[in-house]
Amino acid sequence: MELLKVTLPSLRDIHAAWSSVPAYWALVGHCLFCATLAPEFKDRFIVHYWITFLGGFGGGIASALVIMNPAKASISLLSSNTLGFTWTLCWWLMTYFPYNIPNKLHSFWPVKMITKACVAFCRANLIVNRVDLCMVLYPDVVMASILLGTIAACGGKYTTDAIRQVNNAASAPHEASAPTYSWRSAFLGSAFYFLAAKYSVTQFLAPEEATAVLLTVFVGQSLLSDLTGQPCDWTKPIINTVLTLANIPAGSAAIKPVKQAPEVVKPPKPSATGKPQQVQQPAAAAPKNAAQNGVAGAAKVQEAEGTEASRGSSAAGVQPAAPKGKKTADVNLQSNGKNGKEAAKDGKEPRQNSVRETKKRK
């Protein structure tokens, strides 16, 4: 009977098994997977370098900046050469290696499943690290431990979503608008570890046992989702239940277009003379105004041409053509003038003849 007895491993044994995983090789797998997260920015190598780096390590950097204690929570890229060299080499291999050979090898699902599990392993360990640190800096402060643990585990997603939206490359809403597994797992993992192993009021597990549970759940979800092809999201029913009970709406996963406000026509402002300025007409009336302006312009051109013609004819000694209403009166005046001249001429001729006759008689 003793041979059939099965002894289940304790949580401490599971923690010991997880502790035997080489931390550096877990970091290498983490870097290899994160280097493939933004292929749309491959043609801009600086943007691609930083968006993939922040996707993998942005949470640790953000939480370190919030803690503001480099001696206990340093930015790993600045405090050690190991991460800088490892990340840069992995990034180059997965992005710009000739013929893209490492990336093609990584695309095989067993290799990709391992590197993705390394990401989950590093996230769980980072939550444990930040919650333990908060218990030293802020003992028994609930908000500090849960908040910093959440930032550490999902801050990279927040950062990369912001960069994508700035570059108009976002395919989904920001993580803050529509939380996904990244935020849900970070929040629930931080809350579980703090309440189960650190908070004196609710503690019911040893830190090693809570760490074993957290690592098993995070890595197990990653492996099962790749093996089954299903999300295996254990966080969604928990969060949805809490939101429903609290009457809090869940974020929408659809990108809603921004509604543009209608144009408002401002009233005319009074000018210095006290007269209101003309209001600029809308664009719909532009064709009509253009036609009116064209007719008025044509009339002005004809009037100007007529003025120039009259000036030219007067300079050359030619009288300009009179309007129809004045033509008859001018003809009558000219005929009357001719008749008066002829009558005066006829009156002068008899006087001249009489003077000649008188001279001859003398």
Side-chain angles (χ1 to χ4, degrees):
M1 296 295 295
E2 293 180 357
L3 296 176
L4 299 177
K5 187 178 180 180
V6 178
T7 304
L8 295 176
S10 63
L11 292 177
R12 294 183 180 273
D13 296 334
I14 297 175
H15 178 263
W18 285 120
S19 300
S20 63
V21 176
Y24 179 75
W25 291 111
L27 174 64
V28 171
H30 178 83
C31 293
L32 291 174
F33 183 86
C34 292
T36 64
L37 293 179
E40 66 272 19
F41 294 103
K42 190 177 179 180
D43 56 338
R44 291 171 280 179
F45 72 96
I46 296 179
V47 178
H48 187 271
Y49 181 91
W50 287 113
I51 192 173
T52 51
F53 175 80
L54 293 173
F57 302 95
I61 294 174
S63 59
L65 292 175
V66 173
I67 294 173
M68 295 186 296
N69 191 341
K72 295 184 178 180
S74 61
I75 299 175
S76 54
L77 183 65
L78 305 179
S79 60
S80 174
N81 291 325
T82 302
L83 177 60
F85 290 144
T86 303
W87 164 253
T88 304
L89 179 60
C90 292
W91 171 77
W92 176 77
L93 288 173
M94 301 301 293
T95 310
Y96 299 110
F97 190 86
Y99 303 105
N100 205 22
I101 295 175
N103 196 13
K104 292 179 180 178
L105 294 175
H106 181 264
S107 62
F108 289 110
W109 72 268
V111 180
K112 195 171 184 178
M113 180 179 65
I114 294 174
T115 57
K116 185 181 174 183
C118 291
V119 175
F121 179 84
C122 292
R123 289 183 72 227
N125 279 321
L126 188 58
I127 290 174
V128 172
N129 177 272
R130 289 297 185 257
V131 173
D132 289 344
L133 181 59
C134 285
M135 289 301 298
V136 176
L137 299 175
Y138 318 105
D140 283 347
V141 179
V142 178
M143 185 59 69
S145 298
I146 296 178
L147 178 63
L148 288 173
T150 304
I151 293 174
C154 72
K157 185 72 164 56
Y158 275 67
T159 308
T160 56
D161 283 357
I163 296 175
R164 280 189 169 93
Q165 290 190 350
V166 169
N167 289 272
N168 295 324
S171 58
H174 194 274
E175 183 72 14
S177 300
T180 61
Y181 176 79
S182 177
W183 178 84
R184 293 193 298 265
S185 60
F187 175 76
L188 292 178
S190 302
F192 167 76
Y193 182 75
F194 173 74
L195 296 175
K198 292 297 179 178
Y199 192 42
S200 58
V201 178
T202 59
Q203 182 179 5
F204 60 92
L205 290 175
E208 295 82 4
E209 295 173 341
T211 303
V213 173
L214 198 62
L215 286 167
T216 304
V217 171
F218 273 56
V219 178
Q221 185 274 338
S222 177
L223 295 174
L224 287 175
S225 63
D226 288 333
L227 291 173
T228 62
Q230 301 297 324
C232 298
D233 189 353
W234 56 273
T235 64
K236 196 169 185 179
I238 300 175
I239 294 295
N240 288 344
T241 302
V242 174
L243 294 178
T244 302
L245 294 175
N247 196 27
I248 299 176
S252 175
I255 299 179
K256 296 181 180 179
V258 179
K259 295 182 180 180
Q260 297 182 354
E263 296 182 0
V264 179
V265 180
K266 297 182 179 180
K269 296 181 180 179
S271 60
T273 59
K275 297 181 179 180
Q277 297 179 355
Q278 294 182 355
V279 181
Q280 187 175 2
Q281 297 181 355
K288 184 177 180 181
N289 295 337
Q292 293 176 356
N293 294 336
V295 173
K300 290 181 179 180
V301 171
Q302 292 178 0
E303 183 180 353
E305 291 178 353
T307 305
E308 293 295 332
S310 62
R311 290 178 181 175
S313 60
S314 61
V318 180
Q319 294 182 355
K324 294 181 180 180
K326 298 181 179 180
K327 188 173 182 180
T328 305
D330 293 341
V331 172
N332 294 333
L333 290 174
Q334 290 178 2
S335 61
N336 294 333
K338 289 181 180 180
N339 295 333
K341 289 180 181 179
E342 291 177 357
K345 186 176 180 182
D346 294 340
K348 290 179 181 180
E349 288 181 356
R351 291 181 182 178
Q352 292 177 357
N353 295 332
S354 60
V355 172
R356 291 175 182 173
E357 290 178 355
T358 304
K359 289 180 179 181
K360 288 179 180 181
R361 287 175 185 177
K362 290 180 179 181

PDB file of all heavy atoms in Angstrom, residues 302-327:
ATOM      1  N   GLN A 302     -15.522  97.020 -69.175  1.00  0.00           N
ATOM      2  CA  GLN A 302     -16.119  97.691 -70.322  1.00  0.00           C
ATOM      3  C   GLN A 302     -16.165  99.193 -70.123  1.00  0.00           C
ATOM      4  O   GLN A 302     -15.909  99.981 -71.032  1.00  0.00           O
ATOM      5  CB  GLN A 302     -17.533  97.149 -70.534  1.00  0.00           C
ATOM      6  CG  GLN A 302     -17.552  95.685 -71.006  1.00  0.00           C
ATOM      7  CD  GLN A 302     -18.960  95.167 -71.161  1.00  0.00           C
ATOM      8  OE1 GLN A 302     -19.918  95.897 -70.910  1.00  0.00           O
ATOM      9  NE2 GLN A 302     -19.083  93.919 -71.606  1.00  0.00           N
ATOM     10  N   GLU A 303     -16.517  99.636 -68.912  1.00  0.00           N
ATOM     11  CA  GLU A 303     -16.563 101.066 -68.626  1.00  0.00           C
ATOM     12  C   GLU A 303     -15.189 101.700 -68.767  1.00  0.00           C
ATOM     13  O   GLU A 303     -15.035 102.794 -69.306  1.00  0.00           O
ATOM     14  CB  GLU A 303     -17.115 101.282 -67.217  1.00  0.00           C
ATOM     15  CG  GLU A 303     -17.279 102.751 -66.861  1.00  0.00           C
ATOM     16  CD  GLU A 303     -17.836 102.924 -65.465  1.00  0.00           C
ATOM     17  OE1 GLU A 303     -18.212 101.897 -64.855  1.00  0.00           O
ATOM     18  OE2 GLU A 303     -17.907 104.064 -64.987  1.00  0.00           O
ATOM     19  N   ALA A 304     -14.156 100.983 -68.283  1.00  0.00           N
ATOM     20  CA  ALA A 304     -12.799 101.512 -68.404  1.00  0.00           C
ATOM     21  C   ALA A 304     -12.369 101.598 -69.854  1.00  0.00           C
ATOM     22  O   ALA A 304     -11.720 102.560 -70.275  1.00  0.00           O
ATOM     23  CB  ALA A 304     -11.836 100.623 -67.613  1.00  0.00           C
ATOM     24  N   GLU A 305     -12.724 100.572 -70.661  1.00  0.00           N
ATOM     25  CA  GLU A 305     -12.365 100.620 -72.081  1.00  0.00           C
ATOM     26  C   GLU A 305     -13.046 101.785 -72.790  1.00  0.00           C
ATOM     27  O   GLU A 305     -12.461 102.464 -73.641  1.00  0.00           O
ATOM     28  CB  GLU A 305     -12.750  99.294 -72.733  1.00  0.00           C
ATOM     29  CG  GLU A 305     -11.884  98.127 -72.269  1.00  0.00           C
ATOM     30  CD  GLU A 305     -12.320  96.820 -72.909  1.00  0.00           C
ATOM     31  OE1 GLU A 305     -13.369  96.828 -73.589  1.00  0.00           O
ATOM     32  OE2 GLU A 305     -11.603  95.819 -72.729  1.00  0.00           O
ATOM     33  N   GLY A 306     -14.305 102.056 -72.436  1.00  0.00           N
ATOM     34  CA  GLY A 306     -14.999 103.196 -73.047  1.00  0.00           C
ATOM     35  C   GLY A 306     -14.360 104.520 -72.692  1.00  0.00           C
ATOM     36  O   GLY A 306     -14.228 105.418 -73.522  1.00  0.00           O
ATOM     37  N   THR A 307     -13.930 104.664 -71.459  1.00  0.00           N
ATOM     38  CA  THR A 307     -13.259 105.899 -71.030  1.00  0.00           C
ATOM     39  C   THR A 307     -11.953 106.104 -71.781  1.00  0.00           C
ATOM     40  O   THR A 307     -11.627 107.214 -72.233  1.00  0.00           O
ATOM     41  CB  THR A 307     -13.018 105.855 -69.526  1.00  0.00           C
ATOM     42  OG1 THR A 307     -14.252 105.616 -68.869  1.00  0.00           O
ATOM     43  CG2 THR A 307     -12.410 107.156 -69.028  1.00  0.00           C
ATOM     44  N   GLU A 308     -11.177 105.033 -71.918  1.00  0.00           N
ATOM     45  CA  GLU A 308      -9.913 105.140 -72.636  1.00  0.00           C
ATOM     46  C   GLU A 308     -10.150 105.498 -74.099  1.00  0.00           C
ATOM     47  O   GLU A 308      -9.404 106.266 -74.703  1.00  0.00           O
ATOM     48  CB  GLU A 308      -9.139 103.827 -72.514  1.00  0.00           C
ATOM     49  CG  GLU A 308      -8.657 103.508 -71.095  1.00  0.00           C
ATOM     50  CD  GLU A 308      -7.634 104.528 -70.644  1.00  0.00           C
ATOM     51  OE1 GLU A 308      -6.932 105.099 -71.487  1.00  0.00           O
ATOM     52  OE2 GLU A 308      -7.547 104.749 -69.411  1.00  0.00           O
ATOM     53  N   ALA A 309     -11.186 104.918 -74.696  1.00  0.00           N
ATOM     54  CA  ALA A 309     -11.465 105.225 -76.111  1.00  0.00           C
ATOM     55  C   ALA A 309     -11.837 106.688 -76.305  1.00  0.00           C
ATOM     56  O   ALA A 309     -11.417 107.342 -77.255  1.00  0.00           O
ATOM     57  CB  ALA A 309     -12.593 104.314 -76.617  1.00  0.00           C
ATOM     58  N   SER A 310     -12.622 107.243 -75.376  1.00  0.00           N
ATOM     59  CA  SER A 310     -13.012 108.664 -75.494  1.00  0.00           C
ATOM     60  C   SER A 310     -11.815 109.574 -75.328  1.00  0.00           C
ATOM     61  O   SER A 310     -11.687 110.579 -76.036  1.00  0.00           O
ATOM     62  CB  SER A 310     -14.089 108.981 -74.448  1.00  0.00           C
ATOM     63  OG  SER A 310     -13.571 108.794 -73.154  1.00  0.00           O
ATOM     64  N   ARG A 311     -10.910 109.206 -74.421  1.00  0.00           N
ATOM     65  CA  ARG A 311      -9.708 110.032 -74.252  1.00  0.00           C
ATOM     66  C   ARG A 311      -8.843 110.007 -75.506  1.00  0.00           C
ATOM     67  O   ARG A 311      -8.313 111.013 -75.963  1.00  0.00           O
ATOM     68  CB  ARG A 311      -8.917 109.547 -73.054  1.00  0.00           C
ATOM     69  CG  ARG A 311      -9.586 109.833 -71.716  1.00  0.00           C
ATOM     70  CD  ARG A 311      -8.763 109.271 -70.592  1.00  0.00           C
ATOM     71  NE  ARG A 311      -9.421 109.525 -69.313  1.00  0.00           N
ATOM     72  CZ  ARG A 311      -8.971 109.055 -68.153  1.00  0.00           C
ATOM     73  NH1 ARG A 311      -7.871 108.329 -68.130  1.00  0.00           N
ATOM     74  NH2 ARG A 311      -9.618 109.318 -67.037  1.00  0.00           N
ATOM     75  N   GLY A 312      -8.711 108.846 -76.087  1.00  0.00           N
ATOM     76  CA  GLY A 312      -7.887 108.742 -77.294  1.00  0.00           C
ATOM     77  C   GLY A 312      -8.461 109.512 -78.463  1.00  0.00           C
ATOM     78  O   GLY A 312      -7.753 110.157 -79.234  1.00  0.00           O
ATOM     79  N   SER A 313      -9.773 109.476 -78.639  1.00  0.00           N
ATOM     80  CA  SER A 313     -10.393 110.189 -79.762  1.00  0.00           C
ATOM     81  C   SER A 313     -10.297 111.696 -79.589  1.00  0.00           C
ATOM     82  O   SER A 313     -10.075 112.441 -80.545  1.00  0.00           O
ATOM     83  CB  SER A 313     -11.861 109.758 -79.891  1.00  0.00           C
ATOM     84  OG  SER A 313     -12.553 110.064 -78.698  1.00  0.00           O
ATOM     85  N   SER A 314     -10.423 112.208 -78.342  1.00  0.00           N
ATOM     86  CA  SER A 314     -10.301 113.653 -78.113  1.00  0.00           C
ATOM     87  C   SER A 314      -8.886 114.127 -78.347  1.00  0.00           C
ATOM     88  O   SER A 314      -8.643 115.224 -78.845  1.00  0.00           O
ATOM     89  CB  SER A 314     -10.755 113.986 -76.698  1.00  0.00           C
ATOM     90  OG  SER A 314      -9.931 113.307 -75.770  1.00  0.00           O
ATOM     91  N   ALA A 315      -7.915 113.323 -78.030  1.00  0.00           N
ATOM     92  CA  ALA A 315      -6.520 113.702 -78.266  1.00  0.00           C
ATOM     93  C   ALA A 315      -6.211 113.754 -79.745  1.00  0.00           C
ATOM     94  O   ALA A 315      -5.383 114.534 -80.200  1.00  0.00           O
ATOM     95  CB  ALA A 315      -5.591 112.722 -77.551  1.00  0.00           C
ATOM     96  N   ALA A 316      -6.854 112.939 -80.564  1.00  0.00           N
ATOM     97  CA  ALA A 316      -6.599 112.911 -82.009  1.00  0.00           C
ATOM     98  C   ALA A 316      -7.457 113.901 -82.761  1.00  0.00           C
ATOM     99  O   ALA A 316      -7.427 113.948 -83.985  1.00  0.00           O
ATOM    100  CB  ALA A 316      -6.851 111.506 -82.545  1.00  0.00           C
ATOM    101  N   GLY A 317      -8.290 114.696 -82.079  1.00  0.00           N
ATOM    102  CA  GLY A 317      -9.142 115.661 -82.745  1.00  0.00           C
ATOM    103  C   GLY A 317     -10.455 115.091 -83.181  1.00  0.00           C
ATOM    104  O   GLY A 317     -11.185 115.721 -83.950  1.00  0.00           O
ATOM    105  N   VAL A 318     -10.798 113.965 -82.760  1.00  0.00           N
ATOM    106  CA  VAL A 318     -12.052 113.320 -83.148  1.00  0.00           C
ATOM    107  C   VAL A 318     -12.968 113.366 -81.959  1.00  0.00           C
ATOM    108  O   VAL A 318     -12.571 112.969 -80.864  1.00  0.00           O
ATOM    109  CB  VAL A 318     -11.812 111.865 -83.600  1.00  0.00           C
ATOM    110  CG1 VAL A 318     -13.141 111.225 -83.995  1.00  0.00           C
ATOM    111  CG2 VAL A 318     -10.826 111.831 -84.748  1.00  0.00           C
ATOM    112  N   GLN A 319     -14.158 113.839 -82.183  1.00  0.00           N
ATOM    113  CA  GLN A 319     -15.100 113.909 -81.087  1.00  0.00           C
ATOM    114  C   GLN A 319     -15.667 112.543 -80.785  1.00  0.00           C
ATOM    115  O   GLN A 319     -15.958 111.780 -81.702  1.00  0.00           O
ATOM    116  CB  GLN A 319     -16.250 114.859 -81.452  1.00  0.00           C
ATOM    117  CG  GLN A 319     -15.807 116.302 -81.604  1.00  0.00           C
ATOM    118  CD  GLN A 319     -16.976 117.193 -81.902  1.00  0.00           C
ATOM    119  OE1 GLN A 319     -18.093 116.715 -82.080  1.00  0.00           O
ATOM    120  NE2 GLN A 319     -16.712 118.486 -81.968  1.00  0.00           N
ATOM    121  N   PRO A 320     -15.804 112.238 -79.544  1.00  0.00           N
ATOM    122  CA  PRO A 320     -16.351 110.929 -79.206  1.00  0.00           C
ATOM    123  C   PRO A 320     -17.820 110.855 -79.560  1.00  0.00           C
ATOM    124  O   PRO A 320     -18.509 111.860 -79.652  1.00  0.00           O
ATOM    125  CB  PRO A 320     -16.150 110.840 -77.682  1.00  0.00           C
ATOM    126  CG  PRO A 320     -16.090 112.254 -77.236  1.00  0.00           C
ATOM    127  CD  PRO A 320     -15.451 113.032 -78.356  1.00  0.00           C
ATOM    128  N   ALA A 321     -18.298 109.652 -79.780  1.00  0.00           N
ATOM    129  CA  ALA A 321     -19.700 109.445 -80.128  1.00  0.00           C
ATOM    130  C   ALA A 321     -20.584 109.822 -78.968  1.00  0.00           C
ATOM    131  O   ALA A 321     -20.321 109.435 -77.831  1.00  0.00           O
ATOM    132  CB  ALA A 321     -19.937 107.974 -80.513  1.00  0.00           C
ATOM    133  N   ALA A 322     -21.594 110.578 -79.259  1.00  0.00           N
ATOM    134  CA  ALA A 322     -22.510 111.034 -78.210  1.00  0.00           C
ATOM    135  C   ALA A 322     -23.561 109.984 -77.965  1.00  0.00           C
ATOM    136  O   ALA A 322     -23.852 109.160 -78.833  1.00  0.00           O
ATOM    137  CB  ALA A 322     -23.183 112.353 -78.641  1.00  0.00           C
ATOM    138  N   PRO A 323     -24.156 110.043 -76.812  1.00  0.00           N
ATOM    139  CA  PRO A 323     -25.243 109.104 -76.541  1.00  0.00           C
ATOM    140  C   PRO A 323     -26.432 109.368 -77.448  1.00  0.00           C
ATOM    141  O   PRO A 323     -26.567 110.426 -78.046  1.00  0.00           O
ATOM    142  CB  PRO A 323     -25.585 109.367 -75.078  1.00  0.00           C
ATOM    143  CG  PRO A 323     -24.377 110.031 -74.510  1.00  0.00           C
ATOM    144  CD  PRO A 323     -23.772 110.807 -75.637  1.00  0.00           C
ATOM    145  N   LYS A 324     -27.324 108.329 -77.513  1.00  0.00           N
ATOM    146  CA  LYS A 324     -28.467 108.426 -78.419  1.00  0.00           C
ATOM    147  C   LYS A 324     -29.373 109.582 -78.055  1.00  0.00           C
ATOM    148  O   LYS A 324     -29.954 110.246 -78.903  1.00  0.00           O
ATOM    149  CB  LYS A 324     -29.247 107.116 -78.392  1.00  0.00           C
ATOM    150  CG  LYS A 324     -28.467 105.970 -78.966  1.00  0.00           C
ATOM    151  CD  LYS A 324     -29.303 104.691 -78.945  1.00  0.00           C
ATOM    152  CE  LYS A 324     -28.518 103.526 -79.539  1.00  0.00           C
ATOM    153  NZ  LYS A 324     -29.313 102.273 -79.519  1.00  0.00           N
ATOM    154  N   GLY A 325     -29.537 109.879 -76.791  1.00  0.00           N
ATOM    155  CA  GLY A 325     -30.471 110.931 -76.366  1.00  0.00           C
ATOM    156  C   GLY A 325     -30.032 112.325 -76.753  1.00  0.00           C
ATOM    157  O   GLY A 325     -30.832 113.236 -76.923  1.00  0.00           O
ATOM    158  N   LYS A 326     -28.751 112.553 -76.915  1.00  0.00           N
ATOM    159  CA  LYS A 326     -28.216 113.882 -77.208  1.00  0.00           C
ATOM    160  C   LYS A 326     -27.885 114.085 -78.680  1.00  0.00           C
ATOM    161  O   LYS A 326     -27.493 115.153 -79.108  1.00  0.00           O
ATOM    162  CB  LYS A 326     -26.961 114.134 -76.373  1.00  0.00           C
ATOM    163  CG  LYS A 326     -27.228 114.127 -74.879  1.00  0.00           C
ATOM    164  CD  LYS A 326     -25.949 114.397 -74.129  1.00  0.00           C
ATOM    165  CE  LYS A 326     -26.202 114.423 -72.633  1.00  0.00           C
ATOM    166  NZ  LYS A 326     -24.978 114.678 -71.864  1.00  0.00           N
ATOM    167  N   LYS A 327     -28.014 113.046 -79.494  1.00  0.00           N
ATOM    168  CA  LYS A 327     -27.571 113.134 -80.881  1.00  0.00           C
ATOM    169  C   LYS A 327     -28.455 114.092 -81.681  1.00  0.00           C
ATOM    170  O   LYS A 327     -27.967 114.944 -82.439  1.00  0.00           O
ATOM    171  CB  LYS A 327     -27.603 111.741 -81.497  1.00  0.00           C
ATOM    172  CG  LYS A 327     -26.987 111.685 -82.877  1.00  0.00           C
ATOM    173  CD  LYS A 327     -26.906 110.247 -83.345  1.00  0.00           C
ATOM    174  CE  LYS A 327     -26.233 110.183 -84.720  1.00  0.00           C
ATOM    175  NZ  LYS A 327     -26.144 108.799 -85.203  1.00  0.00           N
TER     176      LYS A 327
END
